[in-house]
Amino acid sequence: MATIVLPGGTDVAEVAIFSLDSLPDVATDSDAVDSIVQSGELVRFPTGADGAYLLHAYVDEAIPEDIYQYCAKEDAVRGRLFLASGRIGFGGIESTFSAFKSNANIRSDGQVPPGDYALTAFHAEFPDDLVEKAVAAAIGRKGQLLLWLPSVVIPLAIVLGMIALFFKGPLGALTVAAVTVLGLKFGYFSNSTIRRLDEQNSRVSLAFPSIVVEMRSRNASEA
């Protein structure tokens, strides 16, 4: 019936999917979060690590087999999610308050049909070569090398900066740092080809969720 894709992240090794209707105004403590869980308006997922996460939620439809096969069935989380208005959020547990400004790094918000849902969630992990092949198909090997360039340039600049510090002193090291930063900012990241490749890479990454959720309308299933 509907599929939503929401990026998020956490600094406390826990994310959640939740209704936006009844969030407190300010950041919550653990007891307050537990209260929202008990009301059926939030389901929490310990991640075991900080970082970025991507949610695929399938509303009243099955998880596609090409994604389901990479879900960890033994770690499934089940719960209830009541969405009075259909306004839904996904992100770090630290973002579960109404004053939080949504952003792709911590919390994203979306809209699904209002309802009372039975939710089953899985962690998903895709083989590295599968992701790499998808990226290569979208941007090519040359495009991958261009996007990897900063991961080579920055360590090299650090080494050169240390050498310059030894032979030329602080001024030499600062010169290397300034050239590197300005070169990346105005010569690399502002390049239209690099921006296009980065956008294509980001679109590909949206096909590989880290958390996959199936939401089934409880009213429909009970009818």
Side-chain angles (χ1 to χ4, degrees):
M1 183 177 183
T3 304
I4 60 170
V5 177
L6 297 175
T10 178
D11 292 326
V12 296
E14 187 173 24
V15 296
I17 182 170
F18 45 90
S19 168
L20 299 178
D21 296 324
S22 302
L23 293 179
D25 293 333
V26 297
T28 56
D29 57 22
S30 183
D31 289 341
V33 172
D34 286 340
S35 176
I36 305 174
V37 172
Q38 292 301 316
S39 73
E41 295 178 287
L42 183 147
V43 180
R44 58 200 307 176
F45 316 112
T47 61
D50 298 347
Y53 293 88
L54 178 67
L55 172 77
H56 278 199
Y58 297 89
V59 182
D60 284 328
E61 64 181 46
I63 299 169
E65 182 56 36
D66 60 345
I67 290 179
Y68 185 69
Q69 64 179 311
Y70 297 110
C71 293
K73 284 75 170 180
E74 66 277 8
D75 295 328
V77 173
R78 292 177 173 82
R80 175 204 177 194
L81 187 62
F82 177 63
L83 302 169
S85 69
R87 295 167 60 241
I88 188 172
F90 168 75
I93 202 75
E94 65 270 33
S95 69
T96 53
F97 59 98
S98 61
F100 186 89
K101 302 299 183 182
S102 63
N103 63 82
N105 295 321
I106 300 295
R107 188 185 102 192
S108 294
D109 302 336
Q111 181 75 41
V112 300
D116 191 0
Y117 293 95
L119 180 149
T120 306
F122 307 91
H123 287 284
E125 188 169 343
F126 296 87
D128 290 340
D129 62 334
L130 183 67
V131 180
E132 290 171 2
K133 288 178 181 177
V135 172
I139 66 175
R141 181 59 60 182
K142 182 179 179 181
Q144 287 181 293
L145 292 174
L146 286 172
L147 291 183
W148 287 338
L149 190 59
S151 66
V152 176
V153 170
I154 293 173
L156 180 61
I158 292 173
V159 172
L160 292 176
M162 293 176 66
I163 294 172
L165 179 64
F166 182 78
F167 287 104
K168 300 293 185 178
L171 182 60
L174 287 172
T175 300
V176 172
V179 169
T180 302
V181 170
L182 293 174
L184 287 174
K185 181 176 181 180
F186 296 106
Y188 180 83
F189 291 112
S190 63
N191 183 276
S192 59
T193 298
I194 297 301
R195 290 201 304 268
R196 176 178 56 80
L197 289 171
D198 189 53
E199 290 171 358
Q200 290 176 317
N201 184 56
S202 297
R203 284 197 294 271
V204 172
S205 68
L206 292 177
F208 298 95
S210 47
I211 295 178
V212 181
V213 172
E214 184 174 309
M215 298 168 54
R216 294 286 183 177
S217 172
R218 288 159 57 95
N219 293 335
S221 62
E222 293 168 0

